[in-house]
């Protein structure tokens, strides 16, 4: 076995008959030839020469190559064992398709293979070769497909990276641009606020002087006070003097005629809450529908409805303001809570924190209850006063011309309440329909007592 392990099949083939050696003899030149083949060749040739290299051998009988003979015999035995059935020692001539193995004729007739599909070995070999060629073709196609997929994956990977790199660059540029716009807006607003603060400080100094002079005059006789009041009438018509008189009356408890238990509170519009189609007056007391403008979409801005809120808001007490709606069309006024839905569709129901009236069309006024309430009015109201009693949860709408109550909402307020103003939507070229907050006046009367 050790000898056969180092000798290949090619070494066991006779150069004369091209078959496995049968009694190989070793010539003087070193070549091996079957003994029968060598004798036939010498008889035909007429001399003792090597069939391979034509070298003339010595006139002796060549010896048998024993190692080569043993290897050839072992090869014959192994080949015979491979070609024979291990159960019946018969030649393997049939192929079982079910068990996929070669069998002999006796095996084919046996109980184990009797019902199996069988065919001759050469036919099975042809089928297997065809299948192997198909498998090789499939493997080749699979390899090509794998290479193609890998190439496509590399291209897609590169494309994705390039696209996202462009997107990252765009986002960084957009971020820088928006930060610059924000910085510019902050700078402008800070400058405006600084100017306003300077103006307010000047007015406060002037008011402080007026208050000191008024206090001094109040301690004197009535005639002197009235003379001073007449001389300062023009200045006392300003908002700041109104505030000064309010403070003066309530801090000094000066006796005065008239109802001052529920003093009016100045209401201004908050431009940071205005929808893009609304235009506010410079003093922030009038709003009208206009062409759409580019405004920053800050969190407090209302984009779900054509509306604007009042500045500041209220968390307690009684407050009132009057709105001139004489030139308005399809308007709504009232109050809303701070947490209303400002983006997207805005709900106009008390359950969602909205207490408003308006929408006057054809002489019919509506209160936005759930469902909404129809309010009959013989004449279109020109000015409507909104009275808010936060602590009692009450919002009343009063016709300022005849002091008749139009409608009253009753609810419970748990957060900051803001005044609400909506001009409605108007077609271009149909004219302007503004809503104006009426100015408040304070009258100080001197008691005869």
């Amino acid at each position: 076995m050790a000898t056969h392990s180092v000798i290949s099949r090619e070494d066991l083939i006779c150069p004369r008959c091209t078959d496995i050696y049968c009694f190989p003899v070793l010539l003087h030149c070193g070549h091996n030839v079957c003994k029968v083949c060598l004798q036939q060749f010498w008889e035909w040739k007429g001399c003792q020469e090597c069939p391979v290299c034509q070298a003339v051998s010595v006139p002796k009988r060549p010896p048998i190559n024993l190692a080569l003979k043993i290897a050839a015999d072992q090869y014959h035995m192994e080949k015979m064992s491979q070609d024979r059935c291990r159960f019946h020692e018969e030649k393997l001539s049939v192929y079982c398709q079910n068990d996929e193995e070669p069998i002999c004729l006796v095996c084919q007739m046996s109980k184990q293979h009797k019902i199996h599909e069988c065919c001759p070995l050469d036919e099975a070999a042809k089928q297997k070769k065809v299948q192997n060629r198909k498998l090789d073709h499939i493997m080749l196609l699979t390899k090509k497909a794998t290479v193609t997929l890998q190439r496509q994956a590399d291209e897609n990977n590169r494309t994705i990276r390039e696209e996202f790199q462009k997107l990252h660059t765009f986002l960084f540029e957009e971020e820088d641009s928006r930060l610059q716009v924000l910085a510019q807006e902050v700078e402008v607003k800070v400058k405006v606020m600084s100017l306003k603060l300077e103006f307010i400080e000047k007015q406060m100094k002037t008011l402080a002087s007026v208050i000191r002079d008024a206090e001094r005059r109040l301690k004197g006789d009535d005639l002197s006070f009235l003379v001073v009041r007449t001389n300062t009438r023009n200045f006392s018509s300003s908002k700041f003097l109104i505030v000064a008189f309010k403070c003066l009356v309530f801090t000094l408890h000066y006796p005065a005629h008239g109802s001052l238990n529920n003093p009016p509170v100045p209401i201004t519009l908050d431009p940071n809450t205005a929808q893009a189609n609304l235009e506010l007056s410079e003093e922030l007391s009038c709003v009208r529908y206009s062409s759409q403008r580019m405004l920053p979409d800050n969190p407090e801005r209302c984009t779900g409805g054509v509306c604007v809120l009042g500045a500041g808001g209220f968390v307690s007490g009684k407050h009132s303001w009057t709105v001139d709606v004489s030139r308005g069309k399809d308007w709504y006024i009232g109050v809303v809570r701070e947490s209303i839905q400002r983006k997207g569709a805005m709900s106009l129901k008390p359950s969602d924190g909205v207490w408003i009236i308006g929408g006057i069309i054809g002489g019919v006024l509506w209160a936005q209850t759930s469902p909404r309430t129809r309010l009959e009015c013989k004449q279109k109201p020109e000015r409507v006063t909104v009275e808010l009693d936060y602590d009692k949860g009450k919002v009343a709408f009063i016709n300022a011309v005849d002091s008749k109550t139009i409608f009253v909402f009753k609810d419970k307020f748990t957060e900051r309440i803001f005044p609400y103003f909506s001009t409605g939507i108007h077609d271009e070229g149909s004219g302007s329909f503004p809503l104006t907050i009426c100015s408040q006046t304070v009258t100080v009367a001197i008691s005869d007592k």
Side-chain angles (χ1 to χ4, degrees), residues 45 69 159 189 213 333 403:
K45 192 70 174 175
K69 183 178 183 305
T159 303
K189 289 186 176 181
D213 185 65
I333 60 173
S403 300

Side-chain angles (χ1 to χ4, degrees), residues 134-411:
K134 290 182 178 180
L135 289 175
D136 293 340
H137 182 65
I138 292 174
M139 289 296 295
L140 180 61
L141 292 178
T142 303
K143 290 181 180 179
K144 291 182 178 179
T146 302
V147 173
T148 303
L149 287 175
Q150 186 62 43
R151 184 173 63 255
Q152 292 177 353
D154 295 339
E155 293 177 356
N156 291 338
N157 192 319
R158 184 175 61 258
T159 303
I160 290 172
R161 291 182 180 276
E162 291 176 354
E163 292 296 328
F164 271 91
Q165 184 62 39
K166 293 179 182 178
L167 182 60
H168 292 160
T169 304
F170 169 77
L171 290 176
F172 286 134
E173 293 176 352
E174 186 70 14
E175 179 185 6
D176 293 339
S177 176
R178 297 202 176 191
L179 287 176
Q180 291 177 5
V181 172
L182 177 61
Q184 292 174 0
E185 182 179 357
V186 170
E187 183 180 358
V188 171
K189 289 186 176 181
V190 168
K191 288 181 179 178
V192 172
M193 292 303 297
S194 299
L195 294 175
K196 288 185 177 182
L197 286 174
E198 291 178 2
F199 177 74
I200 291 172
E201 288 177 356
K202 293 179 180 178
Q203 293 294 326
M204 288 177 65
K205 291 179 181 179
T206 305
L207 289 174
S209 176
V210 173
I211 291 172
R212 287 194 301 269
D213 185 65
E215 288 177 344
R216 182 175 56 82
R217 295 294 180 181
L218 284 172
K219 295 178 181 179
D221 58 291
D222 294 342
L223 180 60
S224 299
F225 176 76
L226 291 176
V227 171
V228 174
R229 181 178 181 270
T230 303
N231 294 332
T232 59
R233 184 174 298 170
N234 294 332
F235 185 80
S236 64
S237 61
S238 67
K239 295 181 180 179
F240 295 98
L241 190 57
I242 292 172
V243 176
F245 268 111
K246 288 181 188 178
C247 298
L248 182 61
V249 169
F250 289 105
T251 55
L252 298 179
H253 302 285
Y254 190 81
H257 294 293
S259 177
L260 294 177
N261 294 327
N262 187 21
V265 177
I267 298 297
T268 58
L269 304 176
D270 185 359
N272 289 324
T273 65
Q275 195 263 353
N277 284 99
L278 296 181
E279 180 183 353
L280 307 183
S281 62
E282 186 176 359
E283 65 274 17
L284 302 178
S285 61
C286 180
V287 57
R288 68 180 69 241
Y289 188 87
S290 181
S291 58
Q292 189 174 17
R293 298 170 297 162
M294 294 297 295
L295 297 176
D297 189 15
N298 45 292
E300 61 269 28
R301 189 174 304 284
C302 299
T303 60
V306 185
C307 63
V308 60
L309 305 184
F314 314 104
V315 292
S316 63
K318 297 180 181 180
H319 314 275
S320 68
W321 57 94
T322 301
V323 184
D324 186 350
V325 296
S326 59
R327 294 188 293 167
K329 181 181 179 182
D330 196 22
W331 48 264
Y332 285 92
I333 60 173
V335 297
V336 296
R337 66 188 180 195
E338 187 175 13
S339 61
I340 60 170
Q341 178 68 32
R342 306 194 184 196
K343 311 297 182 183
M346 181 181 292
S347 175
L348 303 178
K349 298 185 295 184
S351 58
D352 294 321
V354 180
W355 300 271
I356 61 175
I357 67 169
I360 184 167
I361 298 176
V364 180
L365 194 64
W366 298 93
Q368 292 297 326
T369 55
S370 183
R372 65 178 184 170
T373 303
R374 177 173 177 152
L375 306 175
E376 294 289 346
C377 54
K378 295 181 180 180
Q379 187 176 2
K380 177 183 176 182
E382 295 184 356
R383 287 180 294 148
V384 178
T385 299
V386 182
E387 291 186 353
L388 169 65
D389 191 337
Y390 187 98
D391 301 325
K392 291 184 178 181
K394 179 180 175 183
V395 183
F397 298 86
I398 301 171
N399 190 332
V401 176
D402 54 11
S403 300
K404 291 184 179 180
T405 301
I406 301 174
F407 190 78
V408 178
F409 286 97
K410 291 184 178 180
D411 213 322

Side-chain angles (χ1 to χ4, degrees), residues 89-156:
E89 296 296 330
E90 296 290 334
K91 185 178 180 181
L92 300 175
S93 57
V94 181
Y95 184 79
C96 178
Q97 301 281 6
N98 298 76
D99 295 336
E100 295 185 350
E101 62 177 0
I103 59 176
C104 66
L105 293 176
V106 180
C107 292
Q108 184 181 11
M109 301 302 295
S110 66
K111 184 178 180 180
Q112 181 180 359
H113 299 278
K114 188 173 183 180
I115 60 175
H116 290 177
E117 184 179 355
C118 301
C119 65
L121 281 178
D122 56 349
E123 182 179 341
K126 291 180 181 180
Q127 293 179 355
K128 292 294 181 183
K129 290 178 180 179
V130 172
Q131 292 178 0
N132 288 337
R133 283 196 295 269
K134 290 182 178 180
L135 289 175
D136 293 340
H137 182 65
I138 292 174
M139 289 296 295
L140 180 61
L141 292 178
T142 303
K143 290 181 180 179
K144 291 182 178 179
T146 302
V147 173
T148 303
L149 287 175
Q150 186 62 43
R151 184 173 63 255
Q152 292 177 353
D154 295 339
E155 293 177 356
N156 291 338

Side-chain angles (χ1 to χ4, degrees), residues 4-55:
H4 179 64
S5 62
V6 297
I7 298 178
S8 62
R9 184 180 183 280
E10 288 73 13
D11 295 332
L12 300 178
I13 295 177
C14 174
R16 183 63 184 170
C17 64
T18 65
D19 201 355
I20 302 302
Y21 285 118
C22 181
F23 291 101
V25 293
L26 181 62
L27 299 178
H28 184 70
C29 61
H31 292 105
N32 294 287
V33 186
C34 290
K35 181 177 181 181
V36 176
C37 295
L38 183 61
Q39 291 177 353
Q40 292 176 354
F41 179 74
W42 281 356
E43 290 178 358
W44 174 79
K45 192 70 174 175
C47 62
Q48 295 182 351
E49 66 179 22
C50 176
V52 180
C53 61
Q54 287 79 39

